[in-house]
Amino acid sequence: MPPVEDVDRGWKKIEAELRKLSELEVVTGVQGSEEQQLVRVAAINEFGSKKWVVTSKQAYFMARRLMGIDPTAEPGRFWATFRTLRGKVMQVPERSYLRASIDANPEVIRTAMLRFFDKVAAGELEAPIAMAQFGAFTEALVKKWMRDFSDPPNAPLTIHVKKADNPLIDKGRLVNSIRFRVRPKGGS
């Protein structure tokens, strides 16, 4: 009887790719490399902020820059607005876009994960490419959630300043800063 010849038809490569897949993770959101102010805005919107009292400097800025009231052209209106704002207690409500978009779509995410896993298991995709495609999927999911977001609504002052009513989008810097990153599991 002739010896049995073990012919690898790609299983070792697939096994290696599945191992790599188990060692990677996708992180989606505002990455730490973004400017500090944007990371702060992202966190405040995701978790909300505690109450804070508007200082004189902030009230002046809000009246002059945000509301566009010129203190020399409209001194009465400017100072009345300033006095209304100064000392006012403000709060930003939680407007979760990362946790909420993921929590609201478990089946969609599970289906996408299985689709990419199946492609790796079939030898059609390498693990890093599958994870990058899954990352692009999660990035798009979060951005869509942000663009469709409406509750809780903006305060009237915020609507006046932004000239729009989407609570998570002003000039688009936050939504455009959402990125995915593939990294080793547990890495940074």
Side-chain angles (χ1 to χ4, degrees), residues 6 30 36 48 54 58 64 74 85 97-98 125 156 181-182:
D6 184 12
V30 177
Q36 198 61 31
V54 177
Q58 291 168 332
R64 181 171 181 135
E74 301 177 86
L85 292 171
Y97 52 93
L98 289 172
L125 278 180
R181 188 164 41 118
V182 178

Side-chain angles (χ1 to χ4, degrees), residues 81-101:
T81 303
F82 173 85
R83 283 189 296 277
T84 301
L85 292 171
R86 186 185 60 199
K88 184 174 179 154
V89 176
M90 306 285 273
Q91 180 176 345
V92 177
E94 179 180 308
R95 292 184 171 108
S96 175
Y97 52 93
L98 289 172
R99 294 170 297 147
S101 62

Side-chain angles (χ1 to χ4, degrees), residues 15-186:
E15 186 179 33
E17 289 302 319
L18 290 172
R19 189 172 300 109
K20 285 182 203 173
L21 193 62
S22 72
E23 296 167 355
L24 297 172
E25 67 184 1
V26 171
V27 180
T28 303
V30 177
Q31 305 299 327
S33 60
E34 296 290 340
E35 67 178 87
Q36 198 61 31
Q37 178 64 21
L38 191 56
V39 172
R40 183 175 173 270
V41 168
I44 287 172
N45 277 292
E46 180 68 20
F47 300 106
S49 73
K50 295 181 179 179
K51 294 179 180 177
W52 52 278
V53 178
V54 177
T55 65
S56 293
K57 186 176 180 179
Q58 291 168 332
Y60 185 89
F61 174 80
M62 290 168 80
R64 181 171 181 135
R65 301 268 191 239
L66 298 181
M67 298 178 76
I69 305 170
D70 184 351
T72 56
E74 301 177 86
R77 181 170 170 238
F78 176 83
W79 291 111
T81 303
F82 173 85
R83 283 189 296 277
T84 301
L85 292 171
R86 186 185 60 199
K88 184 174 179 154
V89 176
M90 306 285 273
Q91 180 176 345
V92 177
E94 179 180 308
R95 292 184 171 108
S96 175
Y97 52 93
L98 289 172
R99 294 170 297 147
S101 62
I102 301 303
D103 290 349
N105 294 288
E107 280 307 308
V108 171
I109 293 166
R110 182 178 169 280
T111 301
M113 283 174 48
L114 289 174
R115 186 174 70 238
F116 292 117
F117 176 84
D118 288 347
K119 286 185 176 191
V120 172
E124 297 171 16
L125 278 180
E126 293 178 359
I129 294 170
M131 292 299 275
Q133 289 180 0
F134 179 68
F137 168 82
T138 60
E139 179 182 315
L141 183 78
V142 171
K143 286 180 175 182
K144 180 180 181 338
W145 183 272
M146 292 175 79
R147 288 185 179 101
D148 295 345
F149 192 88
S150 63
D151 189 45
N154 280 323
L157 173 63
T158 307
I159 294 169
H160 173 78
V161 169
K162 286 171 56 171
K163 310 282 190 266
D165 195 17
N166 183 314
L168 291 173
I169 300 179
D170 183 7
K171 293 176 178 62
R173 287 184 61 222
L174 179 58
V175 71
N176 290 329
S177 73
I178 301 297
R179 299 277 183 266
F180 75 89
R181 188 164 41 118
V182 178
R183 68 181 190 190
K185 209 172 256 182

